[in-house]
Amino acid sequence: MRTSATITRPPTPVAIRMRRLVSLALVHAVLIGGAVFMLLPFVFMLTSAIKPPGEIFEATFRLWPRQFYGWQNFESALSTAPLLRFLLNGLIVCGGILVVQLLVAIPCAYALAKLKFPGRPILFSLVLLGLCIPVQAPSLPLYIAFAELGILNTYLSMMMPFFLSVFAIFLFRQFFKSYPDEIIQAARLDGVGEFEIVWRIVVPSAWPAIAAFSIFSVVAHWNDLYWPLIVVSDTKLATPPLGMMYFADSELGSNYGALAAGATIITAPLVIAFLIARRHFIAGITMTGIK
Amino acid sequence: MAGLTLRGIRKTFGDTAVLNDIDLDIADGEFLTLVGPSGCGKSTLLRIIAGLESQDSGSVSIGGTSVDHLRPHERRIAMVFQNYALYPHMSVFDNIALPLTMTRLNLFERLPLMRHLSLRRRRIMNEIAREVRAVAEQLRIESFFHRRPGQLSGGQRQRVALGRAMVRHPQAFLMDEPLSNLDAKLRVHMRGELTELHARLGATMIYVTHDQIEAMTMSDRLAVMDHGDILQLGTPADVYERPATTAVAQFIGSPAINLFQARVGPGGQVELLGRTLPIEVRNAPTPELTVGVRPEAMRIGGGPCAVTCRFRRRENLGSECILHFDLVASPEVAVLCRVDNGIPIPEGEVPLAFEPRDCHVFDNNGRRIEVESRNAAGRDLRRASEVR
Amino acid sequence: MNTVAAQVTPLDAVPPAGGQRWVERFAGLGFAAPAFILLVLTNLAPLAALAFLSFTNYELGALDFSFVGFKNFGAALQDPVIRRSVTNTLLYVAIVVPGGVLLSLLVAILIHQRKRTRSLYEVIYFLPVTSTLIAMATMWQFLLHPTLGLINQALKGLGFAETAFLSEPRLVIPTLAAIGIWQLVGFNMVLFLAGLSAIPRDLYEAVDIDGASHPIDRFLKVTWPMLGPTTMFVTVTTFITAFKIFDTVTVMTRGGPGGASEVLLYAIYLEGFQYFHMSYAATLTLVFLAFTLVFSVLQTFILDRRVHY
């Protein structure tokens, strides 16, 4: 097998160490290069948010401004656009969507995983079909229906299309399927009704899946632009991305410092949440694995 | 406590019949074991009694009244599962208390937050705590009341599962292989504890296992099942001494019984490998027979009942040993012989003898046949066994 | 297996026994009902309506409409905007899919071997996934500004000519694709990292003993084949995400310059929700669905299988 070509003199310890150092340096060079690209807009956003207008586009980039202008930028951002209102809207919409999604999907997923009832195979096929349909596809008829009902420009219209998450049903069903049947049967023998089995027995054990899905759902709907853009024209109801768009379009769009400050405020909640609960975010993405 | 009656229980899954027309009477306070190889239908039968699965036809009565229309918890039976089925997110105390809280508190009193509004709840919870404690004392599990099942050892979980069953004072205990997840030493210990518990509570217990030693050591009676039928129902001694079929004979007893092909001679005598044995059968449906002799009934040496075998190897069990032989007449048939460790190891071909009364004779369908054996002198005729 | 059993059980066969069976049926139907109703209301009925609309000439607010057969489909095929949108979308996908998959694989492999710095790199690369793309797109717009932007100043400093990334028709889609990759890499990296952790260590030890100790050998003999299912899944999700490009176009280019960055979802948005050509937009949505369907089905199939690994 081994030819003479592969039998070379064993390398000296110094050579081995050198080779290892070079490859380590190379790996870090690549990773740091990528990291600079990844962080570029964040660094630019944060530094611009504390720079006076004249310094933002200076030829030499500085991390810290000569003149600290942070207060003025954040103040003018907050006074021109109701940024905190956007955040509150985002919270209401994401929270409302998530709560209904969980309330609807968990019992359905339990029924699909553990109960025998007529129509179960059909329902599961429909869930799989639903997984194949991108959220943007039903938006046109939904818009027409909402317009006819006169509920455009309401929180309900912003949340309603997402109340049913086929993905949540799918994910929880997989999770519940691996839940031991014996415990459910023991609960039945102990006199626990099916409704209480779901919420008292099974759900407490499913929190990793629920946490994973919650992260997935909040990230998706906090950052969604398409649907709010369609149903909302009232600035007061704008979610963070939509608000950011209005903000950038307004006459303040040329006040780059304030715009960067606004972008910081819009981006901060999720990014901070991610930095705090990093493990859960990554575990959640690994488990859900879909956008 | 109450007895149970099963009548004509049938169950199929898709095209496969799991239970064929099962009739069974279980006396009040009896320890009855359903034993058989995996897939024989014993667990399904237990789950039908519990109401977790419904039979296709037939009926289950507990204490003389039919429970077919009742849901599992309404049947007032308790079940101990193979994997214990403890609620992983609840403490030991909550696990044991749950059956009581479910029956004694109403929905309003069970709701989070809302429950604190009820004055009645506090009184009932105190009552429940007292009962849980009483059960826990019997099982010696009070010391880990506030731990979760995940923090307990297998034996401790087993006790908690028993406690959850006991606290309801059920009409009957159903146990589905409750010891199979324990290590060998603990299993022997828990066997003793369960037997003592049965004696103390005087409760009706139906116990499912595939382990014939558990079945033999613990039960008042056992029902040997295979392919959805009860092959034999009787006391452990009955089943061991007078197995109704070859399947029962092979399943009960360790090491397994030796089976030899034999024929009925012209006078009704049994002919084994060309030798006429001093036993006679009447009413044999066909000339082909199977003769079974348990390894512990065989000894090295000649006699009127003997087969010639070649020694292969010895398995040492400490106080005794199992000798493995091949039948010389047809070497693919293995013959086992269980003897004291003291005896000298044979070499080459030796005769292995057994008493006529230790012979179990079966017809070619494997059913037991009435045997009349003559002792060595050839006079005294006596009935050795009869078919149930 | 269970589903088959449920199908086999005839619905009208009243069992002689077993309250439990009826409880399960009742509870099952009750638990599934809200989800089923919402599924019909927000997914299935709209989809049917979409198909219906595409054969009409309905416009929002119109009192009357009529059936026009395949006229909308014919119009879509002839429409230069739609043709451009499809081409641009496909070009975008053709850059983002290989770029997003291969770069994230590279990053994942490099990060996977780090010990102390691993979590730091993980955070940095994942940051764009959680950030609001609209806000970050605005920042990219600044960075890419033809004269004042940091990137152009850096290029100038290195002796290159100023480049108008977003207003040069040839460059706009690749630029948007770069931002798309920027947003995706962290997400894919996390999936690849999970796949890498699932590779048993003894496979690498075995391949070392067998003489393939060079990193490239290790990659070709163990890593790449073992990552096969993950790579497949990542590719499919990346395709679907890329095909749905909308945010960056809306904020940064609005289809410009001169339609060079018009993409399918943006065209649907304009036709449906700006010009209110509902029937035409419905037709375009069906086209959009047709493009993604193969990949969505594939994704669902993998998701369904993945659990059994």
Side-chain angles (χ1 to χ4, degrees):
Chain A
M1 220 358 227
R2 297 205 168 204
T3 59
S4 58
T6 57
I7 304 168
T8 45
R9 224 178 303 147
T12 60
V14 178
I16 289 176
R17 202 174 304 159
M18 275 308 291
R19 205 185 295 166
R20 216 169 268 168
L21 262 176
V22 168
S23 78
L24 199 66
L26 214 65
V27 164
H28 279 287
V30 171
L31 284 177
I32 289 170
V36 168
F37 174 59
M38 291 316 227
L39 288 179
L40 192 59
F42 291 98
V43 172
F44 182 75
M45 178 176 78
L46 290 175
T47 54
S48 303
I50 53 170
K51 279 180 185 171
E55 272 189 61
I56 292 174
F57 290 114
E58 262 183 10
T60 45
F61 179 75
R62 293 164 180 278
L63 280 177
W64 197 258
R66 274 165 303 192
Q67 186 198 350
F68 183 79
Y69 206 71
W71 299 125
Q72 292 90 324
N73 281 336
F74 277 95
E75 203 199 340
S76 78
L78 286 169
S79 59
T80 12
L83 290 175
L84 298 179
R85 178 67 195 252
F86 297 158
L87 296 185
L88 180 70
N89 289 339
L91 203 68
I92 292 171
V93 170
C94 288
I97 290 174
L98 181 63
V99 166
V100 179
Q101 277 177 337
L102 293 177
L103 287 178
V104 171
I106 287 174
C108 180
Y110 172 77
L112 283 174
K114 294 292 187 193
L115 300 178
K116 284 180 188 157
F117 64 94
R120 184 172 76 164
I122 299 162
L123 182 63
F124 186 60
S125 315
L126 288 180
V127 168
L128 289 182
L129 179 75
L131 274 177
C132 299
I133 300 169
V135 286
Q136 290 85 356
S139 52
L140 201 74
L142 284 176
Y143 176 82
I144 297 171
F146 288 179
E148 294 292 334
L149 292 171
I151 55 167
L152 293 176
N153 270 319
T154 58
Y155 283 126
L156 182 69
S157 66
M158 294 162 82
M159 299 189 283
M160 170 83 179
F162 310 108
F163 278 163
L164 180 86
S165 170
V166 279
F167 181 62
I169 296 177
F170 180 81
L171 181 72
F172 294 144
R173 174 184 167 271
Q174 300 294 15
F175 207 83
F176 292 162
K177 260 193 123 52
S178 63
Y179 192 83
D181 282 330
E182 286 194 342
I183 296 182
I184 291 170
Q185 286 161 357
R188 284 179 189 150
L189 277 166
D190 287 343
V192 189
E194 295 298 325
F195 183 79
E196 279 185 278
I197 289 179
V198 176
W199 295 107
R200 284 175 63 126
I201 310 287
V202 178
V203 162
S205 302
W207 72 265
I210 292 173
F213 174 75
S214 303
I215 287 168
F216 158 79
S217 168
V218 168
V219 169
H221 296 298
W222 183 275
N223 291 334
D224 182 31
L225 175 69
Y226 192 73
W227 185 249
L229 185 62
I230 290 170
V231 288
V232 171
S233 51
D234 183 353
T235 322
K236 283 208 284 298
L237 287 175
T239 55
L242 190 57
M244 186 66 211
M245 220 180 111
Y246 288 156
F247 190 15
D249 283 348
S250 69
E251 76 273 20
L252 245 146
S254 50
N255 183 349
Y256 295 114
L259 201 56
T264 309
I265 293 171
I266 296 283
T267 314
L270 266 199
V271 168
I272 291 172
F274 161 63
L275 292 177
I276 293 170
R278 199 180 81 238
R279 286 273 145 249
H280 289 106
F281 267 72
I282 287 173
I285 295 297
T286 312
M287 192 188 291
T288 53
I290 187 175
K291 275 180 91 159
Chain B
M1 295 304 146
L4 278 92
T5 313
L6 309 183
R7 283 290 170 264
I9 302 287
R10 286 172 195 273
K11 177 78 180 172
T12 53
F13 286 129
D15 292 336
T16 35
V18 188
L19 294 171
N20 312 315
D21 209 359
I22 299 284
D23 290 320
L24 190 60
D25 290 285
I26 301 152
D28 188 2
E30 184 177 22
F31 195 121
L32 180 113
T33 302
L34 303 174
V35 66
S38 56
C40 71
K42 55 191 191 302
S43 287
T44 309
L45 187 59
L46 194 74
R47 292 149 55 80
I48 285 174
I49 297 172
L52 294 170
E53 242 156 75
S54 44
Q55 64 269 38
D56 296 340
S57 65
S59 97
V60 180
S61 324
I62 301 178
T65 47
S66 162
V67 295
D68 296 326
H69 58 288
L70 295 181
R71 295 177 53 190
H73 68 273
E74 295 163 341
R75 301 187 177 197
R76 296 193 43 224
I77 37 100
M79 187 152 169
V80 178
F81 293 84
Q82 182 172 0
N83 299 314
Y84 321 126
L86 300 175
Y87 309 116
H89 60 288
M90 295 184 187
S91 68
V92 166
F93 178 88
D94 290 337
N95 262 284
I96 299 178
L98 188 90
L100 298 183
T101 54
M102 290 320 282
T103 45
R104 295 185 195 171
L105 296 178
N106 59 36
L107 180 62
F108 177 74
E109 289 162 336
R110 301 200 299 262
L111 286 178
L113 301 176
M114 301 292 271
R115 62 188 180 204
H116 299 293
L117 298 175
S118 165
L119 298 171
R120 203 178 72 101
R121 180 176 178 274
R122 193 185 198 103
R123 187 170 48 80
I124 296 175
M125 283 312 286
N126 284 338
E127 220 171 81
I128 290 174
R130 205 163 48 242
E131 286 174 50
V132 171
R133 231 166 270 284
V135 167
E137 261 167 47
Q138 285 191 54
L139 295 165
R140 298 186 304 282
I141 50 176
E142 317 94 296
S143 52
F144 40 85
F145 249 7
H146 299 289
R147 284 201 230 154
R148 300 242 170 125
Q151 301 161 294
L152 304 181
S153 71
Q156 290 169 328
R157 282 185 220 178
Q158 175 71 74
R159 286 208 184 86
V160 176
L162 276 172
R164 190 174 65 188
M166 282 164 63
V167 78
R168 316 171 53 186
H169 300 290
Q171 304 205 59
F173 286 85
L174 310 182
M175 306 199 186
D176 190 359
E177 310 237 3
L179 304 186
S180 60
N181 280 4
L182 301 178
D183 61 57
K185 198 176 156 205
L186 200 54
R187 205 179 307 165
V188 174
H189 174 79
M190 286 306 292
R191 230 153 62 193
E193 271 198 25
L194 275 180
T195 314
E196 279 171 31
L197 190 71
H198 174 241
R200 199 164 63 230
L201 298 174
T204 313
M205 291 191 177
I206 305 174
Y207 188 99
V208 161
T209 183
H210 66 271
D211 180 345
Q212 50 116 357
I213 298 177
E214 279 177 25
M216 293 295 281
T217 51
M218 299 164 73
S219 344
D220 295 328
R221 281 195 302 160
L222 52 102
V224 185
M225 294 184 65
D226 201 9
H227 300 300
D229 292 304
I230 293 184
L231 301 178
Q232 188 171 8
L233 175 69
T235 63
D238 258 350
V239 174
Y240 177 77
E241 285 163 15
R242 290 194 293 277
T245 68
T246 45
V248 175
Q250 280 177 300
F251 192 76
I252 301 292
S254 171
I257 196 165
N258 298 306
L259 294 177
F260 306 104
Q261 295 304 313
R263 293 187 58 81
V264 188
Q269 298 98 332
V270 176
E271 290 176 359
L272 173 63
L273 302 173
R275 193 194 282 247
T276 306
L277 301 184
I279 48 180
E280 289 174 9
V281 291
R282 291 185 210 144
N283 315 325
T286 55
E288 291 83 33
L289 297 175
T290 304
V291 169
V293 183
R294 295 203 179 273
E296 46 272 39
M298 298 200 109
R299 61 188 162 73
I300 298 166
C305 301
V307 286
T308 314
C309 296
R310 184 190 307 277
F311 176 73
R312 282 185 73 85
R313 65 192 161 89
R314 189 181 80 138
E315 227 178 310
N316 196 340
L317 300 180
S319 67
E320 38 186 25
C321 62
I322 296 167
L323 304 177
H324 292 249
F325 297 89
D326 290 337
L327 203 56
V328 170
S330 47
E332 72 281 0
V333 178
V335 181
L336 273 63
C337 175
R338 186 169 175 162
V339 294
D340 284 345
N341 231 347
I343 70 149
I345 304 290
E347 264 177 53
E349 294 180 9
V350 288
L352 296 178
F354 45 89
E355 294 299 317
R357 67 180 138 82
D358 290 324
C359 288
H360 305 274
V361 181
F362 306 93
D363 66 20
N364 68 338
N365 289 322
R367 240 169 274 137
R368 186 178 186 83
I369 304 180
E370 220 173 290
V371 164
E372 299 180 351
S373 73
R374 227 168 297 172
N375 68 5
R379 277 175 299 161
D380 181 35
L381 272 167
R382 89 190 156 89
R383 288 165 79 101
S385 63
E386 63 187 59
V387 183
R388 279 184 62 91
Chain C
M1 182 56 203
N2 276 335
T3 16
V4 174
Q7 261 175 328
V8 163
T9 317
L11 299 185
D12 49 347
V14 180
Q20 183 56 37
R21 191 185 289 183
W22 287 101
V23 169
E24 275 193 35
R25 287 184 176 187
F26 182 74
L29 287 173
F31 288 171
F36 178 72
I37 292 166
L38 276 173
L39 184 66
V40 170
L41 284 182
T42 62
N43 254 317
L44 303 179
L47 225 56
L50 203 65
F52 177 79
L53 278 175
S54 66
F55 293 105
T56 67
N57 61 0
Y58 177 76
E59 300 205 356
L60 193 71
L63 295 173
D64 197 21
F65 63 89
S66 53
F67 286 96
V68 295
F70 285 93
K71 195 164 157 262
N72 285 324
F73 291 91
L77 282 177
Q78 300 299 318
D79 191 337
V81 175
I82 301 311
R83 292 181 147 195
R84 220 163 36 220
S85 301
V86 171
T87 330
N88 286 339
T89 311
L90 290 177
L91 177 63
Y92 178 85
V93 168
I95 301 172
V96 169
V97 171
V101 173
L102 294 178
L103 282 177
S104 56
L105 177 61
L106 175 71
V107 170
I109 289 173
L110 295 183
I111 288 184
H112 188 62
Q113 294 158 349
R114 306 276 69 78
K115 288 191 177 62
R116 269 169 301 171
T117 48
R118 177 177 165 155
S119 53
L120 176 70
Y121 282 126
E122 244 178 38
V123 167
I124 291 174
Y125 281 89
F126 196 75
L127 215 49
V129 180
T130 50
S131 64
T132 307
L133 185 55
I134 304 306
M136 301 328 284
T138 315
M139 292 305 121
W140 276 114
Q141 218 173 353
F142 291 180
L143 286 167
L144 295 168
H145 193 282
T147 49
L148 304 169
L150 203 60
I151 292 175
N152 263 316
Q153 289 180 4
L155 285 178
K156 231 189 309 183
L158 293 170
F160 291 99
E162 276 178 3
T163 316
F165 290 100
L166 293 171
S167 36
E168 170 69 43
R170 269 188 315 112
L171 284 178
V172 64
I173 287 285
T175 306
L176 291 174
I179 295 171
I181 293 173
W182 169 83
Q183 228 238 335
L184 260 171
V185 160
F187 183 86
N188 290 350
M189 170 200 75
V190 166
L191 292 182
F192 275 127
L193 280 174
L196 284 170
S197 325
I199 300 176
R201 184 173 279 275
D202 48 8
L203 277 183
Y204 287 109
E205 287 163 1
V207 91
D208 260 352
I209 288 166
D210 292 344
S213 55
H214 193 275
I216 291 176
D217 283 331
R218 288 158 64 101
F219 176 78
L220 289 176
K221 291 271 181 301
V222 180
T223 314
W224 180 248
M226 291 299 285
L227 276 182
T230 311
T231 313
M232 179 77 183
F233 183 73
V234 169
T235 309
V236 170
T237 17
T238 306
F239 178 92
I240 295 171
T241 314
F243 209 87
K244 293 198 269 194
I245 173 177
F246 175 75
D247 293 12
T248 40
V249 170
T250 311
V251 175
M252 296 172 76
T253 65
R254 300 181 181 235
S261 67
E262 275 163 347
V263 290
L264 199 45
L265 205 53
Y266 189 69
I268 294 172
Y269 167 75
L270 288 183
E271 288 293 339
F273 304 105
Q274 294 294 312
Y275 314 145
F276 299 115
H277 298 152
M278 288 306 175
S279 55
Y280 191 50
T283 312
L284 297 183
T285 308
L286 288 183
V287 172
F288 169 75
L289 257 180
F291 271 108
T292 51
L293 201 62
V294 178
F295 287 86
S296 314
V297 169
L298 210 56
Q299 174 178 264
T300 305
F301 181 73
I302 301 173
L303 264 180
D304 197 26
R305 271 233 340 240
R306 210 157 63 124
V307 192
H308 307 299
Y309 283 171

